Amino acid sequence: MSLVSRLRSPAATSPVDVEAVRAALGVVQDPELHLTLEEAGMVGGVEVARHGVVRITVRLTTPSCPMKAALGSSIVAEVGAVPGVDRVEVNFTAMTEQERMALADRLRGDMPAAGLAFGPDSRTTVYAVASGKGGVGKSTITANLAVALALQGKRVGVLDADVWGYSVPHLFGVRRAPVAIKGLMLPVEAHGVSLMSVGFFVTDEEPVVWRGPMLHKALQQFLGDVRWPDLDVLLIDLPPGTGDITMSLLELVPDAALLAVTTPQPAAQLVAERVGRMARNARMPVAGVIENMSTLVCDACHESTPLFGSGGGQRLADVIDAPLLGQVPLDVALREGGDLGVPAVLGSPATPSAQALSRIAGRLPVVRRSLVGRKLPLTVL
């Protein structure tokens, strides 16, 4: 049980209108469900006592709700503005199992009937961010593109499918577990982006030792058992190479388009070609190539040094017949943003790396998989 109170004046000067209190409470949304408290069935009771005291009971989906304080503050702010209210007291309780089941059924009501989001009928543009090898900054690129797209007004999600090397929780600075309601999960939100990662379920030090079938099942659950909002863009951060998860993605999200990340160095570019060829062989559309760490930018003198050589991104783009979407320099802000959990496009938008990433986000092409070789949903009359 938790109590939130707000004192505004020594005494009420007029009686409190109960309907006005309910109207004010009606605009408050649960920050994770994105439903009003009434829609979610979370309002347990509203009592207007003497001297302008209003007591509100809120039923949480879980007693350990991580957003309890934020929710309480929103209630106090809205109800406290009603004329005559001197103090708002919010009492938190937990939903019963029946109430949780009813809420889960309501949340599932607008999910795809087949159990998998982002199918052929989805309006969401899906990008699979891949690289041939680790260490080229693929996850950093993913995080910054997601936030840059969100800053442009798009509804964005990130699915961290890099199960063994998950880093999305760290890059976004979030450590809390997702809310789970009767087998349904809600994505964690940070910096305007909806997130899901295996890293939300394990500690930073805990290794994930999974084989192929478990990886496929995890990806299937993240796509089918998560109530993603109505997204404009979903970025899927793939593990390096052409392993099980990449093959599962082609099966589960057939309309995903590949974003290949490489550095200028031939060692990275050559192995990235394998990912591009795999995508082409599987008829997966390729949205383009992003060259990361193109140059090293000195913070003091602002000079650029081609630390890893040059031309790798363009060579990769030529080989896999895809556009080079941009070249991202390496600077201190890009590294510090990842360490602090605030991507550079948000924390240091004027830096060379952030500007390059914002430009790339603004020119991401929308490509769709060809109908050749696909089963079409035809109905025989």
Side-chain angles (χ1 to χ4, degrees):
M1 179 182 296
S2 177
L3 183 67
V4 180
S5 62
R6 175 180 184 267
L7 292 173
R8 191 173 64 176
S9 62
T13 58
S14 60
V16 178
D17 185 342
V18 177
E19 292 306 315
V21 170
R22 290 189 175 277
L25 189 60
V27 304
V28 178
Q29 284 194 343
D30 180 276
E32 292 184 297
L33 298 174
H34 297 293
L35 298 173
T36 66
L37 301 186
E38 289 287 354
E39 291 173 332
M42 296 174 65
V43 178
V46 177
E47 176 190 352
V48 176
R50 297 177 60 187
H51 307 301
V53 177
V54 177
R55 298 186 179 96
I56 299 170
T57 301
V58 177
R59 296 187 290 248
L60 299 172
T61 56
T62 173
S64 58
C65 175
M67 305 300 289
K68 182 191 300 184
L71 180 57
S73 297
S74 296
I75 294 171
V76 169
E78 293 294 339
V79 176
V82 174
V85 174
D86 274 347
R87 188 167 74 248
V88 181
E89 298 177 357
V90 184
N91 182 40
F92 291 109
T93 62
M95 285 184 171
T96 65
E97 286 302 301
Q98 292 80 5
E99 290 168 342
R100 285 168 56 85
M101 183 68 74
L103 177 58
D105 290 341
R106 189 207 183 290
L107 294 173
R108 285 193 181 93
D110 55 358
M111 293 179 67
L116 285 179
F118 316 113
D121 296 330
S122 172
R123 60 176 296 277
T124 303
T125 302
V126 183
Y127 297 102
V129 187
S131 64
K133 62 189 294 294
V136 300
K138 168 182 55 61
S139 297
T140 298
I141 293 292
T142 302
N144 278 274
L145 287 180
V147 174
L149 289 166
L151 291 172
Q152 294 169 11
K154 292 183 171 59
R155 291 164 294 188
V156 186
V158 171
L159 171 55
D160 187 359
D162 193 351
V163 174
W164 300 293
Y166 56 86
S167 56
V168 163
H170 184 86
L171 291 170
F172 280 86
V174 287
R175 292 293 183 274
R176 65 182 184 273
V179 172
I181 308 172
K182 295 299 181 181
L184 189 69
M185 293 179 287
L186 302 178
V188 175
E189 292 194 8
H191 308 312
V193 179
S194 299
L195 310 170
M196 184 54 63
S197 170
V198 70
F200 294 138
F201 302 93
V202 297
T203 63
D204 287 343
E205 301 80 15
E206 185 178 351
V208 178
V209 187
W210 291 352
R211 293 180 181 269
M214 295 181 68
L215 297 172
H216 181 89
K217 181 62 177 177
L219 188 57
Q220 192 175 41
Q221 286 185 308
F222 284 164
L223 289 168
D225 294 339
V226 173
R227 187 182 184 271
W228 294 96
D230 185 17
L231 299 176
D232 296 310
V233 179
L234 175 69
L235 295 165
I236 303 179
D237 185 19
L238 291 176
T242 56
D244 291 334
I245 291 183
T246 305
M247 300 306 295
S248 292
L249 177 71
L250 291 173
E251 176 184 339
L252 297 172
V253 193
D255 283 305
L258 184 77
L259 278 177
V261 179
T262 185
T263 64
Q265 192 174 11
Q269 170 239 319
L270 290 172
V271 292
E273 289 180 15
R274 302 168 195 164
V275 178
R277 288 196 175 98
M278 177 212 67
R280 291 298 189 195
N281 292 340
R283 297 193 178 92
M284 182 183 191
V286 180
V289 173
I290 299 173
E291 183 183 89
N292 194 27
M293 308 182 198
S294 296
T295 59
L296 175 64
V297 180
C298 174
D299 275 10
C301 64
H302 304 293
E303 291 187 2
S304 298
T305 303
L307 189 64
F308 296 105
S310 62
Q314 188 61 61
R315 288 192 298 271
L316 174 60
D318 292 341
V319 169
I320 65 175
D321 189 24
L324 177 62
L325 298 176
Q327 296 169 297
V328 182
L330 176 62
D331 52 32
V332 173
L334 191 63
R335 191 271 302 169
E336 287 183 340
D339 291 341
L340 296 173
V342 182
V345 294
L346 180 63
S348 306
T351 57
S353 62
Q355 291 183 345
L357 286 159
S358 295
R359 285 194 297 270
I360 294 171
R363 64 170 66 124
L364 285 177
V366 177
V367 291
R368 296 291 183 182
R369 184 179 175 185
S370 170
L371 296 179
V372 175
R374 296 184 65 174
K375 294 181 179 180
L376 301 179
L378 300 178
T379 302
V380 179
L381 301 178

